[in-house]
Amino acid sequence: MVDAASEDQAPDGKVAIVLAGAGSRGAYEAGVLSVLLPLLKGRDAPRIILGTSVGALNAAMLAAVIDKGVDAAATMLLDGWKKIGPEKVFRTPRRGVITALAWRLHHASGTATGLVDTKPLEGTIGEIIQPSNFGHNVGSHDLEAVGIVAGACSTMQAVVFVEGKSVPPRSRQIRYVGTTLGTQHLLASSAFPMVFPPRWVADPSIGGDWYIDGGVHLNTPFKPAIDLGADRILVVGGTHIHSAVTPSPAVSPTLGDSNGQILHALLADGFEADLAQLCATNRNVRALAGTSAAPGATSRPPHRVISYLNVNPCDDALDAEAAEIYPAGLSSMLESVGDYKLLGGATSQRQRPGQFLSYICFDQKFVSKAIELGQADARNAIGGSNSIPWITP
């Protein structure tokens, strides 16, 4: 049982924005932020910004322009998503196949590292994130740290690349690396296994390594936010947590359904576990203190009560939207051979049509719908308030 703090007992302390990975559903996160960012002023101004995968892209766009004010940042975040399309993220299947065949012809030992070529994403990042050193505002405008999460292939461990005043010590599950953030960290954070190829990141402090999508290990970086000093955390994700279908013995799950369940587990299950741990830790802190601890206390004890607000899609409307844009079926596949829509047939699902597609559907029609839904859910979350209704579990 959690309760929202009343206005006269509103929690205080450092605010962190934590943005989860969700593929093209990152447009939903942008919609949420476009409503909530204008409320993050004064004592609610964001001091820490963290992101994984597409959440890292949103975090970078936000961090790059936070000096212009949260209202302007909200507008510029939406403007960035209006420039994104499938061809701006990866080469279409036809071009991807041609590229792969050319590689094989010239390199007999060449091996496939991803189903699609993400070369276009590099140019897109340069186009929508200005300046490219998006951590340049750290140390000014109240911003203390920006963090990007990726998965190190050599150690199979979550790595948080941090540009900030200080870098937390390494923990058992997470390695923190102080660095100057750039495009290479965003590409590494979003390299979803099998679909996008791994990315090499060279860093003077730790050497080089191959990285995959940070969502594999840490899709919603709660702990890094706390380790960096957050007392209040705004968590935004693009995955609906609970969903159910009516099972039928005549309709067995497809390969796409199975893969969709794996994807959902990666993106949602960890978040639920982290939120449950947060609530349990808060209860323990209060019990040990003997009183209700106050977030942001001057002494800043090693364990403290953390307040939060979480916004995620409340239903699977984005699945349906993706299914409508890219309907499955033989005729649709034949009509779109060599084009982006080919992925619609390749990822067909019986139980949850459009679920998998909704994470790779960068079509502007889908982006607009996702932004609209994010804005509606954010308005519902604040209930007409002119401040963030922080929850203190």
Side-chain angles (χ1 to χ4, degrees):
M1 180 77 178
V2 297
D3 299 302
S6 63
E7 189 127 344
D8 59 345
Q9 296 176 325
D12 208 345
K14 295 181 184 179
V15 171
I17 297 177
V18 169
L19 304 172
S24 51
R25 288 166 172 258
Y28 171 92
E29 297 181 359
V32 171
L33 289 171
S34 70
V35 173
L36 299 186
L37 278 174
L39 306 183
L40 294 175
K41 297 175 180 177
R43 69 179 186 179
D44 285 345
R47 309 271 290 275
I48 301 156
I49 302 173
L50 286 155
T52 299
S53 196
V54 77
L57 180 65
N58 282 330
M61 283 195 277
L62 174 57
V65 298
I66 198 70
D67 57 317
K68 302 183 185 304
V70 286
D71 297 277
T75 299
M76 296 171 83
L77 192 60
L78 294 182
D79 289 344
W81 273 94
K82 291 175 183 177
K83 298 177 182 178
I84 292 178
E87 73 287 346
K88 293 291 190 74
V89 178
F90 49 78
R91 289 195 172 99
T92 60
R94 177 176 55 190
R95 293 180 180 178
V97 168
I98 291 173
T99 302
L101 287 175
W103 172 265
R104 292 295 181 89
L105 286 174
H106 288 87
H107 304 271
S109 60
T111 341
T113 57
L115 295 179
V116 296
D117 180 0
T118 54
K119 184 67 176 177
L121 183 57
E122 296 183 38
T124 302
I125 289 175
E127 180 182 350
I128 65 176
I129 298 179
Q130 298 291 338
S132 59
N133 59 324
F134 53 87
H136 73 105
N137 282 315
V138 170
S140 61
H141 307 283
D142 295 323
L143 190 61
E144 294 185 6
V146 179
I148 303 299
V149 183
C153 293
S154 65
T155 61
M156 293 188 291
Q157 185 181 41
V159 172
V160 183
F161 294 103
V162 178
E163 186 162 348
K165 292 182 176 179
S166 61
V167 178
R170 182 173 183 166
S171 70
R172 184 173 60 86
Q173 308 97 340
I174 304 169
R175 183 177 187 179
Y176 295 95
V177 177
T179 190
T180 299
L181 294 170
T183 300
Q184 61 175 345
H185 302 102
L186 298 180
L187 293 170
S189 181
S190 60
F192 192 77
M194 295 183 291
V195 181
F196 293 175
R199 304 293 304 201
W200 177 264
V201 176
D203 191 278
S205 62
I206 60 171
D209 202 348
W210 289 99
Y211 289 88
I212 60 172
D213 196 302
V216 172
H217 297 286
L218 192 63
N219 193 57
T220 309
F222 259 121
K223 179 171 169 46
I226 296 171
D227 287 348
L228 284 164
D231 300 288
R232 295 175 289 162
I233 306 175
L234 172 60
V235 188
V236 185
T239 303
H240 51 282
I241 306 301
H242 300 291
S243 177
V245 296
T246 303
S248 167
V251 182
S252 63
T254 64
L255 180 62
D257 287 316
S258 300
N259 288 338
Q261 187 166 348
I262 293 171
L263 180 61
H264 188 272
L266 285 172
L267 302 183
D269 289 2
F271 164 74
E272 288 195 289
D274 287 345
L275 187 55
Q277 181 62 46
L278 174 67
C279 295
T281 302
N282 276 350
R283 289 193 295 270
N284 291 338
V285 169
R286 286 198 177 102
L288 289 171
T291 57
S292 184
T298 306
S299 58
R300 296 201 54 79
H303 300 289
R304 59 196 183 279
V305 171
I306 304 295
S307 302
Y308 77 95
L309 178 68
N310 169 59
V311 183
N312 274 75
C314 56
D315 56 34
D316 55 3
L318 291 177
D319 295 357
E321 188 69 23
E324 181 181 340
I325 293 173
Y326 296 116
L330 182 60
S331 60
S332 297
M333 284 185 65
L334 291 176
E335 290 173 2
S336 64
V337 167
D339 198 8
Y340 177 68
K341 290 184 181 180
L342 179 63
L343 292 171
T347 59
S348 173
Q349 295 173 272
R350 287 197 190 113
Q351 289 190 328
R352 292 176 171 81
Q355 181 196 28
F356 191 89
L357 267 177
S358 67
Y359 292 95
I360 57 174
C361 187
F362 291 92
D363 183 271
Q364 271 299 309
K365 181 180 177 183
F366 178 85
V367 167
S368 296
K369 182 65 175 179
I371 288 173
E372 178 185 320
L373 288 173
Q375 291 172 328
D377 284 352
R379 293 187 186 105
N380 287 335
I382 60 177
S385 173
N386 60 359
S387 62
I388 301 293
W390 299 107
I391 296 169
T392 305

